[in-house]
Amino acid sequence: MDVRLQVSMVFHLDKCIGCHTCSIACKNVWTDRKGAEYMWWNNVETKPGTGYPTKWEDQSKYKGGWEKKDNGEPELKMGNRASRLINIFHNPTLPKMDDYYEPFTYKYEDLFDSPEGADQPTARPISMVTGKFMDIEAGPNWDDDLGGSPVYAENDPNFSGLSPEEQQELFDVERLVFFYLPRICNHCLNPACVAACPSGAIYKRGEDGIVLINQEVCRGWRMCVSACPYKKTYYNWSTGKSEKCILCFPRLETGQAPACFHSCVGRIRYLGGILYDADRLTDALKVDDDKLVEAHRDIILDPQDPIVREKAKENGIDERTLEACERSPVYRYVKEWKMALPLHSEFRTLPMLFYVPPLLPVMAKTEGGVYETANEELFSPIEKARLPIKYLASLFSAGNTDQVSYALKKQYAVRLFKRLETVGDVSKEVVEHALAECGMDAAEAEAVYRLTSLPTMDERVVIPPMHREEAMAMLDDDMWEQKGSAGFGFREAPVRGA
Amino acid sequence: MNILEEQNGRITAGVSWARWSFTVLSIVVATILTNGQANAQDDGAKLFETRCYSCHNIGGGDKQGPDLKGVTERQSPDWIAEFVKSPTAMSRKDPVAAELFKKYAPTIMPDQSLSPAELESIIALIKNLTAKNETFVPSGARLSRAIVPADVVAGKELFTGQIHLANGAPSCNSCHTVNGVGALGGGTLGPDLTAVNIKYRDPELISILQSPNFPTMNTIFANHKLTDEEVVQLFAYLQNAKQVNPEANVVPTQAAATTDPGFLILGFGVTTLVLVGLNVFWRKRSHGVRKEMVRRSKI
Amino acid sequence: MMDNILFIVLPYIAVTLFVVVSIYRYITDKFSYSSLSSQLLESDELFYGVVPWHIGIIGALTGHLIGFLFPKEVLWFNGVPVRLYILETTGLVFGLLALIGIVALMWRRIRVPRIRSVTSTVDTIVLVLLFAQVVLGVYTALFYRWGSSWYAASAVPYLRSLFMFQPDIEMIKPLPHIIKTHIINAFLIIAIFPFSRLVHMVSLPVEYLWRPHQVVIWNWNRKKIRGQYPRSVSEGSKESNETAIRSASIPR
């Protein structure tokens, strides 16, 4: 047993209001630079939709992630190692800038400087790449809130499992449904970007599992961009280096929540330490797609298990870190309650960002012009959902509907449980039945309710101690020399090489 | 287009669309390099044979250059020294030299780096022969044995490199061609040798084979001389080359200005095949997703 | 005199610059080492430039290198005319591929506005030098045949003499000007190498073929430090992986 720590995340989609505050916080802190204008380390997509970059989930086009070979071993979907070197000159599956969008600003000064005339002056869009006037064909969140559905939403790759009728129903005006999917780097346990990097510039930090790109080693071979099935590494066209979400590790190291977590208006974001068994990673990748979620959950270890604690300490994991893991909201949602599921686990990267699937849009259907909320049967809203379970299963459990419906049922049961308490229009038997269906008792339902609806910042974000001071002490014989000078930032300006 | 060509220490006119760029560089200063072994003690006759005889006679009549018989009476030793050092420079200021250049155009005599003592011994030789009214006869310009028919075949194998030259020099076809040698011909860095036995008389050709004193060859063959046997066989082959190609240009002295069309076609053909192959190999490469998707959408 | 400058002084200056500046740049500014790929901005036309170019130039350079290292063996190989023709045709094809590639790359750089916006002066100089080099090379291959043979006999001794620090330019003095220009231009390219994006050549990631897929870097040795409670910080510090620690500082 090789116990390691992973700083892990849960996004509660039922609470996301799609305000993009997280994206803006991230953009302002990290990607408001030349070459990075088009990057959104954090973005919020509308589902159904094609996302950012367009159709990133369609691996027949982008060849991201891993696939299981016949002998059970995982291999990058891009092909073997040699193919990486063969494709180094021209990466055949690299997304193009037009698949993201060409970054633009407007020529605002025209609004002030234009001479008097018959027409109002306009601020024409200017490309931030060429500095020339351009026609905007796409932009960030171009298909937000189902905008342009006939073009974008209808091409959602997750529809492939749905029948044409089911797909058609989704776009009936009275039955339209959507939800938001905020995405950051998943800081995977089996990251495809790391495996694909020819230079070996991308690495996983042993201490906390954050995946980073060493900018001094990166040579701009761009393999990570197409290898990451979530398209969460980006190529900076100006510096010629790839960049990605760093989980705001400078903030984490000083005990602050990452910017997107900190700014989240809907408080949907949870962060905490997860202990996992690195020895069993390969086993977890040998199972079939529909078993992946379970296998993924299996390698997560109970921080209260004495054996695990013993092994963790052998690996140098600090007592205070173990305490933080015990309080981890992520452990609750993912392992204890089985409510949070990894996004597209069939990509086989073992992503460590989990999503509580959204209950809200599946709650009711409009039947004959009437918004129907009456429950003839327990959980019937889930089965008759507007948003087919199959669609959610395609997103969150590699097509295994059991996992998704369990997570939804549990949310629904908690809802009934609280409704009995606060409104009282459900019968006690129904609530007890509902809880029993999900193997929950009242205490757990209460706990789910508390962590979902009323968590404080400290409950949502439990950052394991990063022990930066110890790292610092090892760096230099006299750690006090570092005092006051251990900031982060550039020693040289990040200018493009000649 | 009439352009100047450098080849083997002389410049001749040639017609070639492909060598236009040479006009820019056409004032060629090709130096016959100082042979390290050469020194003042060398006999004038030996020097003349290796350094001058391929273009000049003493008493035997004009060749590529004028017969040098009596030159010591017509010109001062200083004039000769200056001329030999840089004929091109001399021709610009001296009317006599200019006249010579005109007469023997387009051949241009390359600069010669001869030590004063070497020049002295050559001048002495010319004076001596002129005074005695004798003709210069190269001493080494004799084959070591008589030619037999098999030598032609052996010579061709030496020429193409199928048999390696004993002292390690590259085979002749690295730079030279002879009509009908190999499918794509021989080299074109040096001149076509098909009619070489008309351009040079036998003793001259033998002398060249024994000691090629052209600038490019000089450095290569200085330490990799042909053996006597090789000289015989190559001589036989070159002599035969003209006979089997009677229509060959009698003075094909410049390097072939064009390339073999077969070689050209082969090169371009294979390149095209490779390009097509690359396209096939990477036929599944992405041409962008969004634009294509938008284009194909219903609206 | 001129010959001495061009064929002795220039090569030594070029190679010195190449070695010294490349290393200096690598030590002081690793960040600037990048392929500076522009595929993200424009991909379709790039394919027809970058793929033939790299295949062609790698093939051609390998040919030059083989000739340089094994001149006798090349001459032996060329002894059979068919083998000579195969070798020469292969060389010509590499050259033509490189030519087609670089023309496509130049054309794209001039024509596509996005690419023009990421083109520096050095990029332009490099492109022009490389273009000239390939044109001269292809011209030589076509009209000064057979390069593979005379290169081994004529140019290689010169190059080797440079390496032995006993420069001897007698061999190449009588060569045609096209070939001389090819040699001079080669040294110009070597000279500009460390100042240009060409440096991406030296970071060819061959070690990727055998390194483990996943890379985990421990910034500090926790087992060591935690294993000796109560810990004495000064011990074990020597074990730290300084590179790893530095790499953990903020990505740019």
Side-chain angles (χ1 to χ4, degrees):
Chain A
M1 191 186 283
D2 181 3
V3 182
R4 293 192 194 172
L5 173 70
Q6 170 75 43
V7 176
S8 188
M9 303 143 276
V10 165
F11 288 180
H12 199 307
L13 296 184
D14 214 22
K15 303 207 289 174
C16 183
I17 59 171
C19 65
H20 303 287
T21 312
C22 45
S23 305
I24 298 301
C26 177
K27 164 103 341 213
N28 282 338
V29 176
W30 299 118
T31 58
D32 192 14
R33 295 169 281 127
K34 188 173 183 201
E37 307 95 340
Y38 83 96
M39 294 180 199
W40 293 88
W41 293 356
N42 179 106
N43 74 306
V44 183
E45 311 179 350
T46 302
K47 282 283 161 191
T50 49
Y52 161 85
T54 306
K55 287 186 112 172
W56 59 270
E57 295 154 287
D58 187 350
Q59 304 310 344
S60 69
K61 294 207 157 53
Y62 290 118
K63 303 272 186 242
W66 303 80
E67 58 189 2
K68 201 172 73 160
K69 284 195 292 190
D70 292 341
N71 62 6
E73 293 295 319
E75 186 177 79
L76 285 175
K77 214 174 164 92
M78 294 166 78
N80 58 22
R81 288 163 190 260
S83 80
R84 213 95 59 254
L85 295 191
I86 291 168
N87 290 331
I88 208 162
F89 310 123
H90 186 274
N91 182 346
T93 53
L94 187 79
K96 317 292 176 287
M97 172 157 269
D98 294 311
D99 296 334
Y100 302 90
Y101 66 92
E102 183 167 351
F104 52 87
T105 181
Y106 294 94
K107 204 180 175 206
Y108 292 108
E109 62 260 40
D110 280 358
L111 298 180
F112 304 97
D113 302 344
S114 298
E116 211 174 300
D119 302 312
Q120 285 278 2
T122 52
R124 287 177 67 190
I126 297 173
S127 164
M128 291 177 87
V129 180
T130 63
K132 298 199 166 64
F133 290 123
M134 62 176 275
D135 290 325
I136 298 172
E137 288 176 17
N141 291 301
W142 199 243
D143 59 344
D144 205 17
D145 296 350
L146 295 184
S149 292
V151 182
Y152 291 94
E154 287 195 1
N155 280 300
D156 188 326
N158 297 296
F159 286 161
S160 55
L162 303 183
S163 67
E165 297 79 49
E166 283 172 309
Q167 291 186 32
Q168 196 46 52
E169 277 185 12
L170 277 166
F171 293 102
D172 286 352
V173 171
E174 288 174 324
R175 304 168 54 116
L176 272 181
V177 59
F178 68 82
F179 67 96
Y180 297 106
L181 182 70
R183 300 201 297 122
I184 66 172
C185 169
N186 294 296
H187 297 280
C188 307
L189 294 186
N190 183 34
C193 58
V194 176
C197 177
S199 309
I202 315 184
Y203 62 99
K204 200 170 175 62
R205 294 217 296 195
E207 290 79 11
D208 46 25
I210 297 175
V211 178
L212 295 175
I213 303 178
N214 186 336
Q215 295 286 294
E216 302 207 325
V217 181
C218 175
R219 298 283 173 263
W221 302 126
R222 335 170 280 299
M223 290 301 156
C224 53
V225 181
S226 33
C228 174
Y230 303 94
K231 294 289 163 282
K232 277 296 169 190
T233 49
Y234 302 89
Y235 179 75
N236 183 318
W237 54 265
S238 175
T239 59
K241 307 270 167 169
S242 287
E243 300 178 5
K244 64 181 286 300
C245 160
I246 58 172
L247 202 57
C248 288
F249 73 83
R251 288 175 64 93
L252 285 180
E253 284 170 4
T254 49
Q256 307 169 74
C260 54
F261 286 73
H262 208 140
S263 61
C264 181
V265 171
R267 303 177 185 181
I268 74 154
R269 296 183 177 222
Y270 299 81
L271 180 141
I274 287 278
L275 298 175
Y276 68 97
D277 186 358
D279 283 344
R280 278 160 57 201
L281 277 184
T282 34
D283 297 338
L285 290 167
K286 281 180 180 156
V287 301
D288 289 333
D289 279 0
D290 57 335
K291 303 259 170 28
L292 268 171
V293 175
E294 246 168 288
H296 191 168
R297 213 180 263 142
D298 273 352
I299 57 173
I300 295 173
L301 301 169
D302 180 359
Q304 284 178 324
D305 183 338
I307 302 165
V308 170
R309 293 177 78 93
E310 178 78 11
K311 294 281 182 187
K313 280 183 187 158
E314 274 177 32
N315 257 6
I317 295 175
D318 187 42
E319 183 66 37
R320 287 173 292 163
T321 307
L322 292 177
E323 281 164 23
C325 288
E326 282 173 34
R327 292 187 289 120
S328 167
V330 179
Y331 182 78
R332 288 270 160 81
Y333 272 119
V334 175
K335 179 87 173 181
E336 241 178 82
W337 301 336
K338 302 181 170 55
M339 286 172 71
L341 305 167
L343 180 62
H344 282 300
S345 49
E346 74 274 19
F347 297 161
R348 293 177 179 267
T349 62
L350 299 177
M352 290 309 268
L353 161 55
F354 300 86
Y355 292 88
V356 178
L359 182 62
L360 199 59
V362 302
M363 277 294 284
K365 275 186 172 181
T366 314
E367 301 275 3
V370 179
Y371 189 66
E372 182 60 64
T373 52
N375 313 327
E376 319 88 63
E377 226 178 298
L378 198 58
F379 299 130
S380 70
I382 293 170
E383 274 123 35
K384 287 196 201 162
R386 272 211 228 179
L387 198 60
I389 294 290
K390 265 200 255 172
Y391 179 83
L392 289 176
S394 160
L395 271 170
F396 299 114
S397 55
N400 183 345
T401 47
D402 294 350
Q403 296 285 353
V404 174
S405 36
Y406 179 82
L408 292 175
K409 277 180 187 173
K410 211 156 186 177
Q411 288 184 63
Y412 191 61
V414 171
R415 217 171 263 210
L416 289 176
F417 171 77
K418 288 313 283 186
R419 190 169 182 92
L420 172 65
E421 254 184 51
T422 53
V423 185
D425 64 349
V426 237
S427 77
K428 203 160 183 254
E429 290 72 42
V430 168
V431 172
E432 273 167 4
H433 183 204
L435 292 181
E437 277 280 302
C438 326
M440 229 180 350
D441 56 16
E444 188 179 328
E446 183 64 27
V448 172
Y449 163 72
R450 273 210 60 85
L451 197 58
T452 305
S453 305
L454 304 169
T456 63
M457 184 74 177
D458 289 343
E459 283 168 329
R460 275 182 284 131
V461 179
V462 184
I463 304 167
M466 295 275 164
H467 303 294
R468 193 67 184 150
E469 68 287 355
E470 288 175 20
M472 205 91 79
M474 291 192 69
L475 179 66
D476 220 69
D477 280 346
D478 183 7
M479 62 188 287
W480 303 113
E481 268 183 16
Q482 300 279 334
K483 196 182 172 190
S485 64
F488 51 87
F490 301 108
R491 273 164 301 176
E492 306 95 26
V495 287
R496 178 184 176 87
Chain B
M1 188 168 35
N2 194 23
I3 48 166
L4 297 170
E5 286 292 341
E6 176 205 23
Q7 64 88 24
N8 287 359
R10 88 191 87 227
I11 301 237
T12 52
V15 178
S16 162
W17 57 271
R19 293 204 163 188
W20 57 270
S21 52
F22 247 13
T23 50
V24 187
L25 308 164
S26 61
I27 307 301
V28 177
V29 185
T31 309
I32 289 194
L33 301 152
T34 321
N35 194 334
Q37 284 79 38
N39 58 50
Q41 272 77 49
D42 275 358
D43 175 32
K46 196 173 172 193
L47 262 176
F48 188 87
E49 185 178 337
T50 55
R51 308 293 291 272
C52 319
Y53 183 58
S54 50
C55 298
H56 295 287
N57 263 332
I58 307 174
D62 292 350
K63 293 177 18 178
Q64 309 319 118
D67 190 338
L68 297 180
K69 186 175 179 181
V71 69
T72 47
E73 288 156 15
R74 296 193 292 274
Q75 302 294 349
S76 71
D78 286 347
W79 188 94
I80 294 174
E82 199 180 346
F83 185 94
V84 166
K85 197 173 160 212
S86 177
T88 319
M90 193 73 169
S91 73
R92 288 201 204 97
K93 58 179 189 186
D94 187 276
V96 179
E99 194 59 36
L100 280 170
F101 266 67
K102 212 179 274 175
K103 185 175 173 192
Y104 291 93
T107 306
I108 291 172
M109 177 172 162
D111 298 358
Q112 307 288 329
S113 52
L114 292 166
S115 69
E118 286 170 336
L119 188 61
E120 191 60 41
S121 65
I122 291 172
I123 288 173
L125 173 78
I126 297 171
K127 271 186 181 156
N128 186 22
L129 291 178
T130 307
K132 290 193 267 179
N133 199 18
E134 278 177 16
T135 300
F136 176 78
V137 180
S139 61
R142 263 182 298 271
L143 293 176
S144 58
R145 62 171 173 77
I147 295 171
V148 295
D151 288 339
V152 176
V153 181
K156 182 173 184 183
E157 283 173 346
L158 283 172
F159 190 91
T160 56
Q162 279 155 298
I163 300 173
H164 294 278
L165 295 174
N167 289 327
S171 63
C172 315
N173 75 335
S174 302
C175 302
H176 297 287
T177 190
V178 158
N179 276 2
V181 65
L184 298 177
T188 56
L189 182 69
D192 186 333
L193 300 183
T194 315
V196 73
N197 72 327
I198 292 183
K199 182 176 165 175
Y200 297 106
R201 283 172 292 182
D202 289 356
E204 291 160 7
L205 186 56
I206 295 164
S207 158
I208 290 167
L209 285 171
Q210 285 168 339
S211 166
N213 62 347
F214 308 111
T216 316
M217 299 180 79
N218 191 1
T219 46
I220 296 174
F221 285 86
N223 299 319
H224 307 285
K225 290 216 180 299
L226 299 178
T227 63
D228 288 347
E229 190 63 15
E230 285 166 353
V231 170
V232 173
Q233 289 166 344
L234 281 170
F235 179 80
Y237 175 63
L238 291 174
Q239 206 177 37
N240 186 56
K242 174 64 186 168
Q243 282 160 22
V244 296
N245 294 289
E247 72 284 6
N249 191 349
V250 180
V251 196
T253 43
Q254 80 270 23
T258 52
T259 190
D260 188 280
F263 184 49
L264 205 63
I265 291 164
L266 194 61
F268 277 96
V270 176
T271 306
T272 313
L273 280 181
V274 171
L275 285 177
V276 171
L278 294 177
N279 231 327
V280 172
F281 185 79
W282 274 291
R283 66 192 172 282
K284 285 183 180 158
R285 67 187 185 273
S286 162
H287 297 285
V289 175
R290 188 182 57 78
K291 287 198 160 184
E292 177 69 5
M293 189 185 83
V294 171
R295 201 171 56 76
R296 285 196 182 174
S297 65
K298 293 169 212 157
I299 45 171
Chain C
M1 187 59 204
M2 203 56 198
D3 279 349
N4 284 345
I5 291 174
L6 290 174
F7 295 109
I8 298 176
V9 180
L10 174 66
Y12 282 116
I13 291 178
V15 173
T16 310
L17 281 175
F18 176 86
V19 174
V20 174
V21 180
S22 293
I23 292 173
Y24 177 80
R25 178 171 167 184
Y26 189 77
I27 291 170
T28 58
D29 194 8
K30 280 200 190 76
F31 182 73
S32 71
Y33 268 67
S34 168
S35 63
L36 293 181
S37 160
S38 56
Q39 197 192 344
L40 180 83
L41 300 175
E42 199 290 318
S43 174
D44 287 356
E45 286 181 30
L46 179 72
F47 178 82
Y48 292 99
V50 84
V51 175
W53 162 254
H54 277 98
I55 291 175
I57 201 68
I58 289 173
L61 284 177
T62 310
H64 284 70
L65 186 69
I66 289 172
F68 175 73
L69 293 176
F70 312 107
K72 287 208 178 74
E73 288 74 6
V74 170
L75 284 176
W76 170 84
F77 181 86
N78 286 347
V80 179
V82 174
R83 292 203 300 227
L84 169 74
Y85 297 152
I86 289 172
L87 185 69
E88 281 288 335
T89 309
T90 312
L92 178 66
V93 168
F94 280 132
L96 287 173
L97 284 173
L99 184 63
I100 290 167
I102 195 135
V103 167
L105 288 174
M106 290 173 91
W107 173 244
R108 164 178 177 269
R109 218 158 253 282
I110 292 166
R111 217 181 49 80
V112 181
R114 281 185 194 169
I115 306 303
R116 224 171 29 229
S117 70
V118 291
T119 304
S120 66
T121 320
V122 185
D123 290 345
T124 314
I125 298 172
V126 166
L127 265 182
V128 170
L129 286 179
L130 290 176
F131 174 71
Q133 190 68 351
V134 174
V135 168
L136 292 167
V138 169
Y139 185 94
T140 305
L142 281 175
F143 298 108
Y144 295 117
R145 297 177 300 161
W146 300 109
S148 58
S149 280
W150 62 250
Y151 168 74
S154 194
V156 169
Y158 157 69
L159 292 174
R160 290 193 158 197
S161 75
L162 286 179
F163 264 84
M164 308 302 284
F165 295 103
Q166 289 163 338
D168 176 10
I169 61 173
E170 301 302 309
M171 294 287 191
I172 51 154
K173 266 184 179 171
L175 289 177
H177 283 73
I178 293 276
I179 298 170
K180 282 182 175 171
T181 317
H182 187 73
I183 296 172
I184 295 164
N185 201 46
F187 285 115
L188 288 180
I189 292 170
I190 290 174
I192 203 168
F193 181 96
F195 303 97
S196 71
R197 60 164 64 194
L198 292 178
V199 289
H200 75 271
M201 265 168 74
V202 296
S203 43
L204 188 73
V206 276
E207 78 273 17
Y208 178 70
L209 290 173
W210 55 82
R211 79 155 161 88
H213 260 137
Q214 297 299 355
V215 181
V216 177
I217 294 183
W218 299 85
N219 285 340
W220 43 293
N221 192 334
R222 295 192 303 177
K223 286 188 195 182
K224 196 134 200 160
I225 221 168
R226 295 273 158 65
Q228 45 188 1
Y229 276 108
R231 53 185 181 268
S232 126
V233 159
S234 57
E235 284 175 29
S237 62
K238 300 287 181 261
E239 295 290 319
S240 74
N241 179 344
E242 212 196 322
T243 334
I245 293 170
R246 262 199 264 110
S247 69
S249 65
I250 194 109
R252 310 200 214 193

